[in-house]
């Protein structure tokens, strides 16, 4: 067989002469074509309406209608089919006009020659296949274009939705961040209200840890945990008696065994309070372990060396500098001296590298109103019982200023607590 798809090579032959029709049918079938033959144009038209043909061949002179009339009807019903007219009497001008109008594909003169007939039919079948393929390609292209337009529209909608969702997510994240910072601020205010010295120390620790967190030696998550933990590490102390906290700040060596035991639990209290927020689990661990020592003699769990979480190591150094009862230069010497004992050596090195020694937080201590002396610099402003600001923060005191302060009606000057820079 010449053709792999017989339907595409279906051929209709119309001739009112039975002998001519039989000769043409047998000639084409020997070449592998599927041939349907008719002697009546009306019967042939019914076949064209019911079946698809690649090529339609018609004689011109027939009783019911001419071949051109028949092929014109076929063109209306199957425009892609190749139409061939066979006649011996039609004028050249009529044939040329029929070809130009697209009514016929080829013209064969009678008597037809076998080789010419086969060549013409083969060209007609190939032409039909090309027209069908091109039409299908055009339809597929149009369908793909429509799908592409629809896909692009859908994609644009999805991109727009994604952009809107991204904006909403950014706004939500910003709101969450603002709320989180507000929560940290509230916690800090609670600490400061409970004990002003703790508030001042917390601010100093936050300042140092913020500088340490800028180092590329810390992973981003470790840096973030360190910064948050620096705000909250004192949170557990608000569950202790205030007098005990004051005693531990002023003279930690004077604590008895019971007091020492209570103090050693405050990191655990702080972790518990931080754990109420789900995403603060790592922060809670940094709070719990900020009193652990490199040599394993710390509390509450006696961790040592690399078992201490990285944020807790750096937090411990910052707290050690701020809380030691020493001037800044001596405090730095103390931190270096304790490297490899109380503090992780790498944490000490990063502290020294990250801290601008001239910008380290000032040391503060708590005194009573009666202990004020000329030359002291206030770490926090002094207010009258009615809330009037008497002396602002960072003011260096003189004898006259101290006398003026003491003239105000304080309930108990011996217990009124003030903070000054060391």
């Amino acid at each position: 067989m010449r053709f792999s798809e017989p339907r595409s090579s279906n051929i209709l032959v119309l001739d009112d002469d039975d002998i001519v029709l039989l000769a043409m049918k047998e000639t084409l079938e020997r070449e592998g074509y599927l041939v349907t033959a008719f002697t009546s144009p009306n019967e042939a038209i019914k076949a064209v309406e019911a079946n698809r043909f690649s090529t339609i061949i018609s004689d011109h002179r027939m009783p019911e209608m001419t071949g051109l009339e028949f092929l014109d009807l076929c063109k209306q019903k199957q425009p892609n089919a190749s139409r061939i007219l066979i006649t011996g009497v039609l004028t050249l001008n009529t044939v040329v006009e029929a070809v130009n109008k697209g009514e016929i594909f080829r013209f064969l003169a009678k008597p037809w020659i076998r080789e010419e007939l086969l060549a013409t039919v083969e060209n007609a079948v190939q032409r039909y296949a090309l027209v069908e393929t091109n039409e299908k390609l055009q339809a597929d292209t149009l369908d793909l274009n429509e799908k592409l337009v629809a896909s692009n529209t859908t994609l644009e909608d999805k991109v727009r939705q994604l952009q809107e969702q991204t904006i909403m997510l950014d706004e939500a994240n910003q709101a969450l961040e603002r709320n989180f910072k507000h929560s940290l601020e509230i916690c800090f205010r609670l600490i400061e209200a409970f004990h002003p010295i703790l508030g001042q120390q917390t601010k100093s620790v936050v300042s140092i840890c913020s500088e340490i967190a800028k180092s590329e030696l810390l992973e981003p998550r470790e840096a973030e945990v360190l910064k948050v933990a620096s705000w909250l590490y004192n949170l557990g102390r608000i569950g202790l008696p205030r007098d005990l906290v004051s005693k531990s700040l002023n003279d930690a060596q004077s604590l008895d065994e019971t007091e020492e035991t209570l103090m050693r639990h405050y990191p655990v209290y702080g972790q518990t309070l931080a754990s109420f927020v789900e995403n603060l689990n790592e922060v809670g661990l940094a709070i719990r372990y900020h009193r652990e020592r490199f040599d394993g003699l710390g509390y509450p769990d006696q961790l040592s060396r690399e078992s201490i979480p990285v944020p807790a190591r750096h937090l411990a150094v910052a707290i050690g500098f701020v809380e030691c009862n020493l001037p800044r230069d001596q405090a730095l010497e103390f931190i270096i001296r304790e490297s490899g004992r109380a503090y992780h050596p790498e944490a000490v090195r990063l502290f020294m590298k990250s801290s601008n020694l001239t910008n380290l937080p000032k040391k503060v201590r708590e005194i009573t109103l009666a202990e004020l002396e000329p030359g002291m610099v206030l770490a926090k402003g002094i207010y009258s019982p009615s809330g009037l600001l008497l002396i602002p923060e960072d003011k260096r005191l003189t004898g006259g200023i101290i006398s003026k302060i003491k003239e105000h009606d304080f309930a108990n000057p011996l217990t009124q607590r003030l903070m000054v820079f060391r």
Side-chain angles (χ1 to χ4, degrees):
M1 295 288 290
R2 179 177 301 183
F3 301 97
S4 58
E5 297 183 9
R7 186 178 180 184
S8 67
S9 57
N10 283 354
I11 296 175
L12 184 147
V13 179
L14 173 65
D15 198 306
D16 61 343
D17 189 328
D18 291 333
I19 297 176
V20 173
L21 186 64
L22 179 62
M24 183 176 294
K25 184 175 186 296
E26 291 180 350
T27 300
L28 294 175
E29 286 179 340
R30 289 193 190 101
E31 297 299 314
Y33 296 111
L34 300 178
V35 181
T36 303
F38 295 93
T39 57
S40 167
N42 291 325
E43 293 296 324
I45 287 296
K46 293 179 181 179
V48 170
E49 292 174 346
N51 304 280
R52 292 178 63 84
F53 296 96
S54 64
T55 303
I56 300 173
I57 304 172
S58 175
D59 183 33
H60 179 59
R61 297 188 63 181
M62 295 178 293
E64 297 178 26
M65 66 181 69
T66 65
L68 282 177
E69 293 172 340
F70 169 74
L71 292 178
D72 183 56
L73 290 175
C74 292
K75 176 185 177 182
Q76 298 173 28
K77 300 181 183 300
Q78 292 194 37
N80 290 346
S82 298
R83 295 171 295 280
I84 300 173
L85 181 68
I86 300 178
T87 184
V89 297
L90 203 61
T91 64
L92 179 62
N93 288 338
T94 302
V95 172
V96 170
E97 183 179 0
V99 171
N100 290 340
K101 288 182 178 180
E103 294 171 350
I104 63 174
F105 169 66
R106 289 287 188 273
F107 163 76
L108 288 176
K110 280 188 176 180
W112 46 266
I113 301 172
R114 178 180 180 278
E115 288 74 14
E116 183 180 7
L117 171 66
L118 294 178
T120 301
V121 170
E122 183 175 2
N123 290 336
V125 170
Q126 291 177 351
R127 176 254 175 202
Y128 171 79
L130 289 174
V131 170
E132 286 283 295
T133 301
N134 183 62
E135 189 174 85
K136 185 176 185 306
L137 288 175
Q138 289 180 346
D140 289 345
T141 301
L142 180 61
D143 182 58
L144 288 174
N145 285 338
E146 291 176 350
K147 290 180 178 178
L148 182 61
V149 170
S151 297
N152 286 338
T153 302
T154 302
L155 181 60
E156 290 175 358
D157 290 340
K158 289 185 178 298
V159 169
R160 183 169 58 255
Q161 292 175 6
L162 184 60
Q163 290 174 338
E164 292 173 354
Q165 291 173 357
T166 300
I167 293 174
M168 293 174 62
L169 183 60
D170 288 342
E171 292 175 349
N173 286 336
Q174 291 174 7
L176 285 174
E177 185 176 354
R178 288 193 299 269
N179 290 338
F180 184 67
K181 290 181 177 179
H182 182 62
S183 298
L184 291 181
E185 180 69 18
I186 291 175
C187 291
F188 169 73
R189 294 301 178 192
L190 287 174
I191 295 170
E192 187 178 43
F194 172 73
H195 203 295
I197 285 290
L198 291 183
Q200 286 294 321
Q201 289 182 347
T202 299
K203 288 174 61 177
S204 297
V205 170
V206 167
S207 176
I208 295 173
C209 289
S210 296
E211 290 299 317
I212 295 174
K214 295 177 182 178
S215 173
E216 295 180 355
L217 298 177
L218 288 181
E219 296 292 333
R221 181 59 181 170
E222 294 172 343
E224 187 64 26
V225 169
L226 175 61
K227 289 191 291 184
V228 176
S230 68
W231 281 103
L232 303 177
Y233 78 95
N234 268 326
L235 197 57
R237 296 201 202 196
I238 65 176
L240 300 174
R242 190 184 188 284
D243 291 341
L244 175 59
V245 173
S246 296
K247 186 177 180 181
S248 68
L249 293 173
N250 294 325
D251 186 6
Q253 302 302 320
S254 66
L255 298 179
D256 60 32
E257 184 176 350
T258 301
E259 293 171 332
E260 181 70 25
T261 301
L262 284 173
M263 287 302 303
R264 285 174 174 264
H265 280 87
Y266 91 83
V268 179
Y269 302 152
Q271 180 194 23
T272 301
L273 291 173
S275 67
F276 286 126
V277 181
E278 183 177 354
N279 63 347
L280 291 187
N281 290 335
E282 293 177 81
V283 173
L285 291 177
I287 294 172
R288 181 185 183 95
Y289 298 132
H290 74 271
R291 289 295 180 180
E292 301 289 359
R293 289 170 56 100
F294 186 75
D295 57 14
L297 300 178
Y299 58 88
D301 299 316
Q302 291 76 53
L303 300 185
S304 65
R305 296 179 176 270
E306 308 307 317
S307 62
I308 303 173
V310 172
R313 302 174 198 172
H314 296 285
L315 182 59
V317 175
I319 294 171
F321 170 81
V322 170
E323 291 188 358
C324 68
N325 293 317
L326 297 169
R328 283 193 298 172
D329 292 343
Q330 295 179 31
L332 289 171
E333 293 177 2
F334 165 75
I335 293 296
I336 295 172
R337 188 167 58 251
E338 289 296 314
S339 177
R341 292 191 293 184
Y343 309 118
H344 196 293
E346 291 299 325
V348 173
R349 276 193 284 272
L350 187 53
F351 168 76
M352 300 301 294
K353 180 180 178 181
S354 303
S355 300
N356 184 336
L357 300 185
T358 61
N359 290 331
L360 285 174
K362 296 178 181 179
K363 311 283 286 183
V364 297
R365 65 189 179 95
E366 189 178 44
I367 63 173
T368 65
L369 183 62
E371 294 174 319
L372 285 178
E373 296 178 0
M376 290 182 174
V377 178
L378 292 177
K380 190 173 184 180
I382 298 178
Y383 294 82
S384 70
S386 62
L388 177 67
L389 177 63
L390 301 178
I391 307 294
E393 181 180 331
D394 288 328
K395 180 69 174 180
R396 185 173 296 276
L397 301 180
T398 64
I401 293 175
I402 293 174
S403 298
K404 184 177 180 181
I405 294 173
K406 292 181 178 180
E407 290 176 0
H408 284 266
D409 183 22
F410 289 97
N412 188 345
L414 295 178
T415 59
Q416 177 74 17
R417 312 304 292 184
L418 304 172
M419 286 186 293
V420 296
F421 291 118
R422 288 194 177 97

